[in-house]
Amino acid sequence: MSGASTNQSVFGEPDESSRLLPDEEGGSPSSQAEAPTPLPKAQLGTLLVVRIIDPIAYTQIFPYINQLLADLRIAAPEQVGFYSGFIVSMVRSPQMRTRCADEDGDAVTGILGDLAGTAVATVAFGWSTSLVTIIVSRFLGGLVAGTIAVLHSMLVEITDDTNQNIAVPIYSLSWSTGSIIGPLIGGTFANAATRYPNYFSWPVFVDHPYLPPCVISAVCTLLVMGLAYLLIEETLPSKRKGSTNGVPSRKPSSASDTDPGSAETGSASVKALLAIPALQALTLSGIALSFLSSAFDVVFTLFCYTPVDAGGLGLQPSTIGNFLAFAGTFAVLLRLVAMPYILRRFDYATIYNTCMYLWPITFAFLPLFNALAPVQSEISPMIGTGTGMMMTTTATASEAGIWIGLALVLALSKVAAIPYSITMLLIKRHAPGARSVGIRPGYYTRETDSRCRVVCSSGIPGTGTGTGRVTAAAAAMGLGSGSGSALGRSNGLVQFAMCLGRAVGPVVVSALFTALNGSTWARRWGVGWAWSVVMVAFGVVGARMTRGIR
């Protein structure tokens, strides 16, 4: 590396006299505009389709999970919310693990195996008739969700810093698209034997009324599994026999890229990484972001399902599914229309910090809709005995306002979740690994990282060498077998933090909501809305954690 090597710290941080990036062909990258690398459209499209499966399997239970628990009499009505949050979090808890592949690479095999496991776990959930089998099936679903991480790793490897502002929004469409399909499947086909007797009158669907959406989700998974077998290809250069799906061959940006052992890769401990203000802020705010977003997903469904007199809106599963599908549609449009412009126009850190401040506003609005709902019950027709409401052709202006308000809150939550799309870019900006091993942002690959990858199941590549499985915490702290680059350790650290937030958020918010709205004293004093105050406080704290990101 020319010019700067003598002026860098052990973590690759340049001092004031060093160049920020190595010279290329005698000139600084800043002195000449670099044309965007053409996107490998076929490979990117295949990754997107495969990625859709996880949100389908994850979100298809949201419209009916509370009704399922009530029908199975697993818990008292006032405790259903707590158990639903616990069950949702179960799929994220086992994802606090990593996967390591040696230099031979097993990405395609891993993807196929994980998709098969997802299909089995989804059907097992629909077949469940007890709390134990429900928990086991969800835990299994999280255990085989490693596809997410492998796909994130492949995305990093087939793109670079010249085309990521296009590739990242396109790839992030996968979650939004799956979030449309999943709730529509769950809300439409839950209790299908009663709603569509001409098509779902089979005894197995009568005995297991929530099996149909699970079967349909599993069929989608198996179809995508076949597509992955035919089209997806390994992104490791040592494994590619050609570029059949348009995956470009990369030229290494420095000597360190061609010889992973030529750079010092194990110099940064987790303590040293957390001493970097930006990485510390990304780690802490990553916990907050995942905590808040997963908590909102759960509490919105729980709030809509809960009867009005118990602090909710009393909506039917199909209506909840339609709302969640709208949220997914808005997220798709946001990423298609707005995200490319936002990424070009504003700095990544500014986007991240601004969006995090939207979470307190999002949580603050929900209880207001419950305060309006009882007034409407005297004006417009209600479902059942007045504990729920549905949109009618004679809806009052205030009732229409609630529906519009719910849609706006969902849209706001999708804008607040934009930091998910740029976390990987901020990590690569601030992690010392890209500089200490001579890698330009966008050129971090599994081969560069000692020809091995360890990935956290919800995010970007982690670090490590050898084979087998280790915990994400061990990988992030360098306690796995071997040692990886500081960039890899930074990825593992932030992604483990996000996994932790996802595992805790649903349990905390559902426990708060259930404890306050299900208790006699809270109803007597009219403070069932206090759960929202707590979540707003969490949101403010989480937003302030982003101040170190620059």
Side-chain angles (χ1 to χ4, degrees), residues 341-419:
Y341 170 79
I342 292 173
L343 291 176
R344 287 194 307 267
R345 179 66 178 82
F346 301 100
D347 181 72
Y348 297 156
T350 302
I351 300 170
Y352 192 104
N353 298 341
T354 302
C355 291
M356 284 294 292
Y357 275 98
L358 296 179
W359 284 114
I361 302 173
T362 302
F363 281 102
F365 271 105
L366 280 182
L368 300 179
F369 304 130
N370 170 257
L372 295 176
V375 176
Q376 300 176 106
S377 63
E378 301 174 1
I379 302 173
S380 58
M382 296 291 134
I383 295 295
T385 59
T387 59
M389 67 174 191
M390 288 289 290
M391 192 67 169
T392 67
T393 56
T394 60
T396 64
S398 58
E399 183 175 22
I402 286 184
W403 285 66
I404 294 173
L406 288 175
L408 290 176
V409 167
L410 284 171
L412 191 64
S413 73
K414 297 306 176 184
V415 176
I418 285 179

